[in-house]
Amino acid sequence: ETGVTQTPRHLVMGMTNKKSLKCEQHLGHNAMYWYKQSAKKPLELMFVYNFKEQTENNSVPSRFSPECPNSSHLFLHLHTLQPEDSALYLCASSQEIAGGPDTQYFGPGTRLTVL
Amino acid sequence: GQNIDQPTEMTATEGAIVQINCTYQTSGFNGLFWYQQHAGEAPTFLSYNVLDGLEEKGRFSSFLSRSKGYSYLLLKELQMKDSASYLCAVKDSNYQLIWGAGTKLIIKP
């Protein structure tokens, strides 16, 4: 248990569906992250929120839409996804975005399959 | 561009020592992290280096040479539970982590 939870753990959806991934952290952190992890590829940073403000959007397609209502919760809204979007989606949190050993703590991920 | 290189897979024997290397080229450097990720689980933090030299933490040690853009993770007295992927990541000038693809470590009895 890292103090970061994600739901659902597994999700299968069709290309026309709309779904949302949820992340919650119980660590009192101020920064939250969405990553995409595909097999044998580096973690891809998708979105970053620092004190509820989005600070990074690394050229992510608009079919992925993040929402951060408060420092403890982060959502990733999905619509009209493509089969190549199938991957493990990881949420992480850290104290804040800064230099030094600002360690990121990860949730267990949502395994997404797009049919 | 930014790049982190580490071997795709390594195999070692229980009780032995293994060294996992990581080389990096990034825009700026604000520290290097090693994470462990067991199959189907979250990555978990192992170590952080920002100054040159060796950091020891029990059976695990991590080394950094900033001039060479090089780090390694050293695992001693290997146990079967050490079978996992080991991820190297560098914090760049924007304080974002740039990740390697990970090294899958297989431990054999």
Side-chain angles (χ1 to χ4, degrees):
Chain A
E1 279 293 327
T2 63
V4 182
T5 58
Q6 289 186 244
T7 54
R9 293 293 308 275
H10 300 271
L11 178 62
V12 179
M13 59 187 289
M15 292 168 60
T16 57
N17 291 158
K18 289 185 180 181
K19 297 286 184 183
S20 295
L21 309 184
K22 179 182 177 182
C23 175
E24 184 174 1
Q25 58 94 0
H26 309 273
L27 301 169
H29 288 165
N30 296 301
M32 295 189 78
Y33 311 78
W34 278 118
Y35 285 95
K36 177 182 179 182
Q37 187 174 37
S38 303
K40 300 184 180 180
K41 289 186 177 180
L43 283 172
E44 298 174 45
L45 180 63
M46 300 176 71
F47 300 104
V48 182
Y49 281 81
N50 197 33
F51 293 92
K52 298 189 297 178
E53 296 296 320
Q54 186 175 319
T55 60
E56 289 288 333
N57 174 353
N58 288 352
S59 304
V60 179
S62 59
R63 57 186 183 269
F64 295 92
S65 174
E67 179 189 0
C68 187
N70 54 61
S71 294
S72 299
H73 294 86
L74 186 64
F75 295 89
L76 188 63
H77 303 300
L78 317 171
H79 65 97
T80 59
L81 294 190
Q82 304 298 312
E84 60 264 30
D85 297 324
S86 298
L88 182 68
Y89 288 84
L90 290 164
C91 173
S93 72
S94 68
Q95 186 59 46
E96 60 181 314
I97 296 172
D102 177 44
T103 304
Q104 292 184 18
Y105 294 84
F106 286 83
T110 296
R111 174 66 64 186
L112 174 66
T113 302
V114 181
L115 301 176
Chain B
Q2 307 200 91
N3 195 51
I4 310 284
D5 283 318
Q6 49 181 132
T8 303
E9 187 173 298
M10 299 182 71
T11 302
T13 305
E14 190 177 15
I17 299 172
V18 71
Q19 177 175 310
I20 302 174
N21 295 325
C22 171
T23 58
Y24 63 89
Q25 288 180 305
T26 57
S27 56
F29 179 84
N30 282 294
L32 184 144
F33 295 77
W34 284 97
Y35 279 77
Q36 180 191 59
Q37 185 178 23
H38 285 100
E41 297 183 13
T44 54
F45 169 76
L46 286 178
S47 68
Y48 170 78
N49 294 69
V50 67
L51 299 176
D52 289 353
L54 189 67
E55 294 279 344
E56 296 187 78
K57 199 185 283 188
R59 293 190 298 115
F60 293 9
S61 302
S62 56
F63 172 84
L64 174 67
S65 168
R66 288 172 298 172
S67 63
K68 295 182 179 179
Y70 167 69
S71 172
Y72 67 72
L73 181 69
L74 190 72
L75 290 76
K76 303 177 183 176
E77 301 169 17
L78 285 170
Q79 302 175 9
M80 297 304 293
K81 68 178 182 179
D82 297 329
S83 292
S85 288
Y86 291 85
L87 312 179
C88 175
V90 171
K91 185 177 286 189
D92 70 6
S93 56
N94 293 321
Y95 304 127
Q96 300 304 334
L97 287 181
I98 309 301
W99 295 84
T103 298
K104 183 178 181 180
L105 178 63
I106 299 168
I107 309 297
K108 295 186 174 180

